[in-house]
Amino acid sequence: MSIDYVVEIANRGLFLIIQCAAPILLVSLLIGLLISIFQTVTSIQEQTLTFVPKIVGVFLTIMLLGSWIMNNITGYMEDLWSNFSVYIR
């Protein structure tokens, strides 16, 4: 196994992490931005106001996209395990 193959595996793994985490992070960012705009407009400066909506938003996103995320991760792991004989050479 060459160094190029190791770099390719690591690159695919990092891209998979970014791809799976991006929807959850974007939902959290969007909810935080909307609540921040709401706080600015209404002059409510409560720091803990964003926690519950973000938790609910992240939970709903995981419920909706959890199977897609799990399919991506299991596909990557199946690919790694199916090529295991190449890695030990």
Side-chain angles (χ1 to χ4, degrees):
M1 186 164 80
S2 67
I3 191 73
D4 294 332
Y5 203 65
V6 173
V7 169
E8 179 188 344
I9 292 170
N11 188 16
R12 285 182 52 219
L14 289 174
F15 181 72
L16 180 67
I17 291 169
I18 292 169
Q19 186 181 17
C20 291
I24 298 168
L25 293 174
L26 287 174
V27 166
S28 178
L29 176 75
L30 184 64
I31 291 172
L33 181 64
L34 291 174
I35 291 177
S36 175
I37 291 171
F38 173 75
Q39 284 180 329
T40 302
V41 169
T42 60
S43 298
I44 299 173
Q45 297 302 321
E46 179 62 36
Q47 297 297 321
T48 60
L49 186 64
T50 61
F51 290 127
V52 173
K54 278 186 183 180
I55 290 171
V56 170
V58 167
F59 180 70
L60 289 175
T61 304
I62 290 173
M63 283 180 53
L64 293 173
L65 298 177
S67 63
W68 174 76
I69 292 170
M70 196 56 126
N71 285 335
N72 283 345
I73 293 171
T74 54
Y76 178 72
M77 286 306 298
E78 287 174 358
D79 187 41
L80 286 179
W81 283 108
S82 66
N83 294 328
F84 189 71
S85 62
V86 175
Y87 305 146
I88 58 175
R89 281 193 232 171

